[in-house]
């Protein structure tokens, strides 16, 4: 499995320890203060599109919810629920907006979300076409093991 970190953060702004040094918005609660809703939605949409593209490229049809954390009871999903990739956008959006948190996994792939607007994906293969498309959407994809595995 090939594992990646997908983010809006330019790797050139990291120090030798991998810490990101630029001052940028890092979460949905920054909307209206550090980022406009329009810019936020553009970035959020790029994440969702990119994650789905990598999954579709690998013919991943569904992912299973695990380790759901939903203290405010905002989700309509449950642990063990299998989600079709065509219907996964709302879950990605809700986790990115910190409404709740969960892992999404199968035997062949996974999607995890971290703090500060990081996402992690594992898939069997990747093509240069999809990697270039992700970059053209303003995101960065780096080989990186998910800290949630």
């Amino acid at each position: 499995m090939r594992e990646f970190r997908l983010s809006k953060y330019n790797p050139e702004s990291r120090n030798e320890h991998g810490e990101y040094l630029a001052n940028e918005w890092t979460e949905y609660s920054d909307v209206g203060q550090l980022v406009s809703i329009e810019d936020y939605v553009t970035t959020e949409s790029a994440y969702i599109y990119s994650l789905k593209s990598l999954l579709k490229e690998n013919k991943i049809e569904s992912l299973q919810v695990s380790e759901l954390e939903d203290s405010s009871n905002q989700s309509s999903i449950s642990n063990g629920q299998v989600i079709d990739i065509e219907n996964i956008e709302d879950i990605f959006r809700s986790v990115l907006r910190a409404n709740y948190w969960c892992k999404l996994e199968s035997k062949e792939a996974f999607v995890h979300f971290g703090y500060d607007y990081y996402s992690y994906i594992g898939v069997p293969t990747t093509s240069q076409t999809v990697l270039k498309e992700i970059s053209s959407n303003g995101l960065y994809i780096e080989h990186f093991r998910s800290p949630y595995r």
Side-chain angles (χ1 to χ4, degrees), residues 71-83:
S71 60
S72 58
N73 295 318
Q74 293 189 42
S75 75
S76 60
I77 58 173
S78 58
N79 279 315
Q81 184 175 349
V82 176
I83 309 295

Side-chain angles (χ1 to χ4, degrees), residues 15-136:
N15 66 16
E16 64 276 2
H17 305 291
E19 298 165 332
Y20 193 72
L21 302 175
N23 187 19
E24 294 187 32
W25 65 269
T26 59
E27 56 190 23
Y28 183 70
S29 65
D30 290 333
V31 170
Q33 299 168 31
L34 300 174
V35 63
S36 69
I37 188 65
E38 295 82 12
D39 288 346
Y40 174 85
V41 168
T42 297
T43 301
E44 178 184 74
S45 296
Y47 271 68
I48 293 167
Y49 179 83
S50 298
L51 292 167
K52 282 186 69 174
S53 292
L54 287 163
L55 293 168
K56 285 181 176 185
E57 176 183 48
N58 284 276
K59 297 179 177 41
I60 306 299
E61 296 179 4
S62 62
L63 294 173
Q64 186 174 31
V65 176
S66 68
E67 298 185 36
L68 176 64
E69 296 176 10
D70 183 17
S71 60
S72 58
N73 295 318
Q74 293 189 42
S75 75
S76 60
I77 58 173
S78 58
N79 279 315
Q81 184 175 349
V82 176
I83 309 295
D84 181 78
I85 295 306
E86 295 305 319
N87 300 318
I88 209 156
E89 288 182 27
D90 287 340
I91 295 171
F92 286 173
R93 184 172 291 104
S94 291
V95 175
L96 286 167
R97 293 184 181 196
N99 293 330
Y100 54 85
W101 184 86
C102 66
K103 292 179 174 181
L104 298 156
E105 302 177 318
S106 72
K107 290 180 183 176
E108 304 85 19
F110 68 81
V111 176
H112 300 155
F113 295 92
Y115 295 102
D116 296 338
Y117 224 75
Y118 285 102
S119 64
Y120 306 89
I121 186 166
V123 288
T125 63
T126 56
S127 69
Q128 287 302 311
T129 303
V130 171
L131 295 176
K132 286 179 185 176
E133 189 174 19
I134 290 169
S135 295
S136 72

